[in-house]
Amino acid sequence: MAETGASPLPPTPPAHSPLARAEHFVWLTARVLEQRVFAYHFLRGGADPVETALDAYRNADGGYGHALEPDLRGPVSQPLHTGHALRVLDAIGRCGGQRVERVCRYLTSVTTPDGALPAIRPSQRGYPTAPFVPILDDPPSDLLATGPVVGLLHRNEVWHAWLFRATDFCWQAVESLERSHPYELQAAVDFLDSAPDRPRAEAVADRLGRLVREQRLAVLDPDRLDGYPVAPGYGPGEHHFPYDYVRTPNSLARTWFTDDEMSRSLDFLAGEQREDGGWPIRWRQWTPGTALEARPIATIGALRTLSAYGRPLS
């Protein structure tokens, strides 16, 4: 029998269960990478096929490209692609060893003068790119690109010279946040959840939670979406919910929301599954192909969040 990376399969869930509908959607629409990731998380698939699929996106410089992040097309390595790759490796328990040493060498090569990462380097120019992604000749350090990467490396106990200044940048960035927006705050949480100084992380997270509520950056009542503003520059209806900040119950951001607020947001997430079995994307869709590639990623993320909170899937 040919090796699929998903054998042996568990009993097939009921045909109309959320998991069965999502599985059909993934096999119908997803890239090979997301098919392998789905199989790993929900069909007892192995980690090796995931890593093999991910390697197709890796470049000789140690970074990742080739539209791993669907909104950035073209072959060139970019920090956002590389952060995506690290999230995949972390999810399958492979965020370490020589593969991550190569990644850290790439990160070192693209570091800004203050020791952090830009979101997009000018090498992206000339390739199709989402219109809401700016390409600058001298891109600044970006918490969105740096925070999740630093958090992942700390969580996996990776020690590399690049981490020292990048960690300092993240502390300065999260401690100085005042007016912010949801994606930036998600990046802050990704850093704080694994930052080595736990008392300091808890203090910053407490302040950021108050900021989220004061600036109404999370929809606390999904039945009243119109009562919550969409951040400037975001697409119509690009709201964020408690589950966007608190993807697992042990996140520092869990204290930002009451049990009732968290439960209602998870109910809303479960109800967002579409008739085709997949979950929607909320950000601006600028071309059909990228939306098609992004929806399986969003679907696996929704399933993993619901599973982390013990919500029934099968």
Side-chain angles (χ1 to χ4, degrees):
M1 179 181 294
E3 175 60 41
T4 67
S7 297
L9 300 183
T12 302
H16 298 294
S17 72
L19 185 59
R21 293 165 57 208
E23 181 181 354
H24 177 82
F25 174 77
V26 166
W27 294 132
L28 180 66
T29 66
R31 305 180 296 191
V32 172
L33 175 61
E34 281 71 50
Q35 292 176 12
R36 299 299 201 186
V37 169
F38 181 91
Y40 175 84
H41 288 297
F42 302 108
L43 301 175
R44 294 205 294 263
D48 286 347
V50 177
E51 194 166 357
T52 298
L54 183 63
D55 276 346
Y57 298 88
R58 184 161 56 88
N59 287 321
D61 60 7
Y64 289 78
H66 306 279
L68 180 55
E69 278 288 338
D71 283 332
L72 303 179
R73 316 307 289 183
V76 294
S77 296
Q78 291 292 344
L80 289 182
H81 292 312
T82 304
H84 187 129
L86 286 174
R87 288 193 296 275
V88 172
L89 292 171
D90 175 62
I92 64 173
R94 296 286 178 88
C95 194
Q98 289 190 354
R99 67 180 67 80
V100 174
E101 176 65 29
R102 290 194 297 267
V103 170
C104 287
R105 287 200 294 269
Y106 165 75
L107 298 176
T108 301
S109 73
V110 299
T111 295
T112 60
D114 53 7
L117 297 174
I120 308 295
R121 303 185 68 235
S123 56
Q124 183 65 29
R125 189 173 285 114
Y127 296 105
T129 306
F132 47 83
V133 177
I135 302 175
L136 306 175
D137 289 330
D138 187 19
S141 299
D142 194 323
L143 181 61
L144 273 74
T146 312
V149 168
V150 172
L152 274 172
L153 296 179
H154 280 304
R155 180 160 68 250
N156 288 276
E157 298 182 348
V158 174
W159 295 104
H160 189 275
W162 178 80
L163 261 180
F164 292 99
R165 292 186 65 210
T167 300
D168 288 342
F169 166 82
C170 289
W171 279 124
Q172 188 278 328
V174 298
E175 289 178 333
S176 62
L177 283 178
E178 293 297 340
R179 297 297 303 180
S180 189
H181 59 92
Y183 291 122
E184 186 172 53
L185 284 160
Q186 286 175 232
V189 171
D190 288 339
F191 167 69
L192 294 171
D193 276 346
S194 299
D197 188 337
R198 301 315 298 154
R200 187 178 181 183
E202 290 168 7
V204 175
D206 183 65
R207 185 182 70 82
L208 294 185
R210 294 194 299 272
L211 183 151
V212 165
R213 299 185 77 90
E214 291 166 2
Q215 298 181 19
R216 299 175 67 78
L217 299 178
V219 174
L220 302 181
D221 184 355
D223 293 328
R224 299 181 57 203
L225 290 179
D226 291 345
Y228 295 87
V230 173
Y234 284 30
E238 195 173 350
H239 292 98
H240 286 70
F241 300 82
Y243 61 76
D244 287 308
Y245 301 98
V246 197
R247 289 186 286 270
T248 63
N250 60 355
S251 170
L252 289 176
R254 178 62 186 85
T255 62
W256 297 358
F257 308 106
T258 67
D259 290 347
D260 183 61
E261 290 166 348
M262 199 71 221
S263 180
R264 277 186 292 175
S265 80
L266 292 168
D267 289 343
F268 179 82
L269 178 62
E272 281 285 272
Q273 189 174 23
R274 298 301 190 242
E275 287 188 9
D276 62 8
W279 267 259
I281 57 173
R282 293 190 165 275
W283 58 91
R284 189 178 296 114
Q285 301 178 31
W286 58 285
T287 187
T290 58
L292 183 67
E293 292 179 352
R295 284 193 65 207
I297 299 172
T299 296
I300 294 169
L303 291 170
R304 292 189 65 200
T305 296
L306 292 168
S307 177
Y309 283 91
R311 293 298 183 103
L313 300 178
S314 58

